[in-house]
């Protein structure tokens, strides 16, 4: 019951936290099946069924409310967080996905669109396939900036431009850019609330702020490396561990579908990362820990090559 209430609260807080239930409920089924022995089906599957029922009941009530108020079957917030009947700039979003990677573009273009001016100077070179496409993009932006609001005509123009770019670079659109956006979300330093420029790597512009960002980037990388190393060497990979790792995997798959890169979207995974990193640091007190890390395989490979 407590697990069901916790999962329900998580989903109502953020609809994408349904991934947590998708990882936890199967783990509950597995644990019940393994530990119940010769007990009946009810005893084995009871906890998972109760947790799922609590969650389904709460979402069902929310869906009934949305049907009565908005006349739509919608137990969770929609993908674009739009109200029923509200227009969504799908054409612009698809065009943005043909080149958007980093957080600066999210701030200056993606968040700014449909309410404020968007400038050609904020678009990187990869947003154009040539001078002709640069001119077409400039024309569409000028039409948009006249009203600073998305209109059906402007969005249709973005959609046509996006279709051209997707046809020209399908692998980059469907594979390369989604992976690049996710890597940016994982490895960008966590400095959104600090007075650090969006281009944090430009040391000559603001040296002190850049050094602070590099420190945070290093800390972020150390957490990830330690967590990965401990996961590789940990032997007690029980259902709880698999469910938490499964949640991270599911969230990574979800992030591949996003239009824009925001580092905060990976924060839900960091409790798991920090847990494994802490276990790795705690393991340094174990006898022989130096001989069991990733560096061991590197030394052994070097020794075998020298022997040959």
């Amino acid at each position: 019951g407590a697990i069901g209430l916790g999962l329900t609260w998580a989903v109502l807080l953020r609809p994408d936290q349904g991934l947590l239930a998708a990882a936890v409920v199967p783990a509950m089924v597995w644990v019940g099946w393994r530990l119940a022995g010769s007990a009946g089906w009810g005893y084995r599957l009871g906890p998972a069924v109760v947790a799922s029922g609590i969650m389904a009941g709460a979402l069902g009530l929310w869906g009934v409310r949305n049907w009565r108020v908005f006349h739509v079957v919608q137990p969770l917030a929609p993908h674009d967080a739009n109200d029923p009947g509200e227009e969504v700039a799908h054409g612009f979003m698809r065009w943005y996905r043909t080149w958007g990677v980093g957080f600066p573009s999210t701030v200056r273009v993606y968040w700014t669109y449909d309410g404020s001016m968007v400038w050609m100077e904020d678009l990187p070179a990869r947003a154009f396939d040539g001078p002709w496409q640069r001119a077409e993009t400039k024309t569409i932006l000028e039409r948009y900036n006249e009203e600073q609001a998305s209109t059906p005509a402007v969005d249709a123009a973005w959609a046509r431009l996006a279709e051209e770019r997707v046809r020209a670079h399908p692998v980059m659109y469907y594979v390369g850019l989604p992976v690049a956006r996710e890597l940016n979300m994982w490895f960008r330093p966590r400095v959104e609330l600090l007075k650090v420029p969006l281009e944090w790597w430009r040391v000559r512009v603001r040296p002190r702020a850049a050094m602070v960002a590099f420190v945070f980037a290093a800390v972020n990388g150390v957490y990830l490396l330690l967590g990965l190393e401990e996961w590789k060497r940990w032997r007690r990979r029980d259902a709880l561990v698999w469910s938490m790792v499964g949640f991270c995997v599911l969230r990574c798959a979800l992030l591949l579908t996003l239009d824009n890169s925001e580092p905060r979207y990976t924060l839900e995974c960091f409790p798991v990362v920090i847990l494994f990193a802490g276990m790795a640091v705690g393991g340094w007190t174990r006898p022989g820990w130096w001989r069991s890390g990733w560096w061991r395989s590197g030394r052994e490979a070097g020794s075998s090559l020298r022997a040959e």
Side-chain angles (χ1 to χ4, degrees):
I3 295 177
L5 291 174
L7 294 176
T8 302
W9 178 258
V11 173
L12 293 177
L13 186 64
R14 285 190 62 90
D16 55 359
Q17 287 300 86
L19 298 176
L20 184 62
V24 170
V25 172
M28 295 175 67
V29 173
W30 175 257
V31 171
W33 190 265
R34 292 291 300 272
L35 299 183
S38 59
W41 287 80
Y43 188 80
R44 292 182 176 187
L45 304 180
V49 171
V50 170
S52 301
I54 293 174
M55 187 173 170
L59 295 181
L61 292 174
W62 192 247
V64 170
R65 177 264 181 191
N66 286 337
W67 173 257
R68 294 186 60 185
V69 176
F70 300 111
H71 305 292
V72 294
V73 180
Q74 192 171 285
L76 290 174
H79 176 270
D80 298 309
N82 57 300
D83 291 330
E86 181 182 0
E87 293 291 335
V88 179
H90 291 296
F92 166 80
M93 292 177 179
R94 192 168 194 230
W95 170 76
Y96 181 86
R97 282 177 60 85
T98 64
W99 61 267
V101 173
F103 188 60
S105 296
T106 297
V107 174
R108 294 170 178 163
V109 180
Y110 193 82
W111 286 351
T112 302
Y113 189 78
D114 200 10
S116 299
M117 301 278 282
V118 176
W119 307 103
M120 283 289 294
E121 293 76 13
D122 292 328
L123 303 182
R126 64 178 177 274
F128 321 104
D129 288 340
W132 60 273
Q133 202 170 86
R134 177 185 289 271
E136 185 177 359
T137 304
K138 183 178 180 181
T139 299
I140 299 173
L141 273 183
E142 288 175 349
R143 292 171 59 189
Y144 160 77
N145 285 333
E146 290 177 0
E147 298 186 19
Q148 300 179 31
S150 180
T151 62
V154 170
D155 199 56
W158 286 127
R160 289 192 297 269
L161 183 58
E163 185 62 29
E164 294 177 7
R165 291 178 54 80
V166 172
R167 277 201 309 267
H169 309 285
V171 176
M172 181 61 66
Y173 178 79
Y174 290 108
V175 180
L177 288 170
V179 171
R181 281 189 286 268
E182 181 144 348
L183 291 176
N184 182 269
M185 285 186 262
W186 275 102
F187 290 99
R188 181 181 172 86
R190 313 288 164 167
V191 293
E192 291 84 359
L193 301 180
L194 302 179
K195 294 182 179 180
V196 174
L198 292 174
E199 288 86 2
W200 55 271
W201 56 89
R202 294 185 178 179
V203 180
R204 294 183 179 180
V205 178
R206 293 184 62 183
R208 182 176 298 180
M211 293 307 299
V212 170
F214 275 109
V215 169
F216 276 92
V219 171
N220 187 69
V222 168
Y223 272 126
L224 292 172
L225 288 175
L226 289 175
L228 179 61
E229 175 59 23
E230 183 62 22
W231 161 247
K232 287 171 55 180
R233 55 191 282 185
W234 204 43
R235 295 296 180 263
R236 293 185 60 256
R237 299 179 183 177
D238 54 20
L240 177 61
V241 175
W242 280 113
S243 66
M244 293 300 96
V245 173
F247 166 73
C248 294
V249 172
L250 290 173
R251 186 155 189 86
C252 287
L254 175 66
L255 295 182
L256 290 174
T257 68
L258 297 186
D259 301 326
N260 59 314
S261 172
E262 293 187 48
R264 65 188 178 94
Y265 288 150
T266 57
L267 288 180
E268 285 87 345
C269 298
F270 265 82
V272 180
V273 173
I274 293 172
L275 174 63
F276 277 104
M279 292 170 62
V281 173
W284 293 351
T285 60
R286 296 192 300 260
W289 69 270
W290 179 260
R291 295 189 297 274
S292 62
W294 55 268
W295 48 83
R296 179 186 178 187
S297 59
R299 292 205 317 272
E300 289 176 351
S303 301
S304 62
L305 288 175
R306 288 193 296 271
E308 293 176 0

